[in-house]
Amino acid sequence: RKEVEQDPGPFNVPEGATVAFNCTYSNSASQSFFWYRQDCRKEPKLLMSVYSSGNEDGRFTAQLNRASQYISLLIRDSKLSDSATYLCVVNRGTNAGKSTFGDGTTLTVKP
Amino acid sequence: NAGVTQTPKFQVLKTGQSMTLQCAQDMNHNSMYWYRQDPGMGLRLIYYSASEGTTDKGEVPNGYNVSRLNKREFSLRLESAAPSQTSVYFCASSGFPGQGNKGTINEQFFGPGTRLTVL
């Protein structure tokens, strides 16, 4: 079993739709969680950190469920510009080298 | 600030050739990383350096060596390239907030990548 698993996708949605991605992790000692966005053939960039209390940034909402060991990303009112691959990242500690990336979920938003 | 820079952007090698990928960051980060990303897959950690003077193996270190030249620079060397090393290579850095460091704790900043093909 992979340490970090994501919905396989791809997700194809119309503009304005709401879409949700899930990510599960296997190490219960994991301490910090992130969603990164990666555009085609570009480097990953941090989209948002995921906090225990949940957090929201505009149309994006991230949730963490430690008991069930999953995190989620909700995108409301999808835009064409949201088309990208979304990577779930889990950190097992605060030290370097403790990050594990999921394989990513690809989202295509269509007009 | 340039952030994280990588050279070269593209490279084609023949099996058995060697090369060094260069990476530099100007964000005063202590930690630096090398990842590879194969088509349709996530990033896999090759090597990392928690601080200047230290390096450690990641998930897929075989066939690679690294050098943390100073706080800014972290290079990745392929001694004898193989077709299985065809991939996109990303360098990244991270640091603790404050002390003039950019980003939140454990947030990694990535370079633009090197697209390597080994024939």
Side-chain angles (χ1 to χ4, degrees):
Chain A
R1 181 188 173 191
K2 289 185 177 180
E3 191 168 337
V4 177
E5 295 200 70
Q6 295 187 236
D7 286 348
F11 286 71
N12 297 303
V13 302
E15 267 187 298
T18 296
V19 61
F21 307 139
N22 288 326
C23 170
T24 58
Y25 59 95
S26 60
N27 190 330
S28 60
S30 297
Q31 297 190 14
S32 56
F33 311 87
F34 304 87
W35 285 102
Y36 279 72
R37 170 189 169 129
Q38 185 174 26
D39 292 296
C40 187
R41 301 178 67 79
K42 296 286 185 69
E43 72 273 23
K45 293 183 179 179
L46 181 68
L47 178 65
M48 59 197 305
S49 304
V50 187
Y51 303 121
S52 296
S53 55
N55 48 305
E56 187 173 310
D57 183 2
R59 298 180 293 107
F60 299 83
T61 300
Q63 300 270 351
L64 167 64
N65 185 319
R66 285 191 183 272
S68 301
Q69 294 181 207
Y70 79 83
I71 67 174
S72 63
L73 178 67
L74 182 76
I75 305 176
R76 291 181 299 277
D77 189 23
S78 299
K79 311 291 184 191
L80 296 177
S81 57
D82 293 334
S83 297
T85 296
Y86 292 84
L87 303 171
C88 168
V89 182
V90 175
N91 278 81
R92 300 186 300 282
T94 56
N95 295 331
K98 302 296 185 184
S99 299
T100 302
F101 284 71
D103 288 345
T105 300
T106 298
L107 171 67
T108 301
V109 181
K110 300 188 173 182
Chain B
N1 288 346
V4 180
T5 57
Q6 290 183 235
T7 56
K9 286 188 167 53
F10 301 91
Q11 184 70 50
V12 179
L13 294 177
K14 294 181 180 177
T15 297
Q17 287 185 316
S18 62
M19 78 162 295
T20 299
L21 281 63
Q22 306 287 353
C23 174
Q25 54 91 10
D26 61 3
M27 294 176 283
N28 198 36
H29 285 163
N30 285 325
S31 302
M32 298 185 73
Y33 314 80
W34 276 105
Y35 292 91
R36 62 176 289 175
Q37 186 176 35
D38 299 319
M41 297 183 67
L43 281 76
R44 291 184 292 170
L45 184 64
I46 304 171
Y47 270 93
Y48 67 97
S49 171
S51 60
E52 186 178 354
T54 69
T55 60
D56 284 286
K57 294 179 181 179
E59 182 186 353
V60 289
N62 290 345
Y64 305 95
N65 285 302
V66 290
S67 295
R68 183 73 184 266
L69 304 170
N70 48 55
K71 189 172 186 178
R72 290 187 63 248
E73 298 173 289
F74 189 37
S75 63
L76 178 72
R77 183 161 178 83
L78 287 71
E79 290 293 349
S80 179
S84 61
Q85 294 178 305
T86 293
S87 190
V88 180
Y89 291 84
F90 289 104
C91 177
S93 69
S94 68
F96 286 95
Q99 302 174 341
N101 293 339
K102 182 179 178 181
T104 60
I105 190 169
N106 284 333
E107 177 183 358
Q108 296 186 38
F109 292 81
F110 287 83
T114 295
R115 283 156 181 79
L116 175 67
T117 301
V118 182
L119 303 175

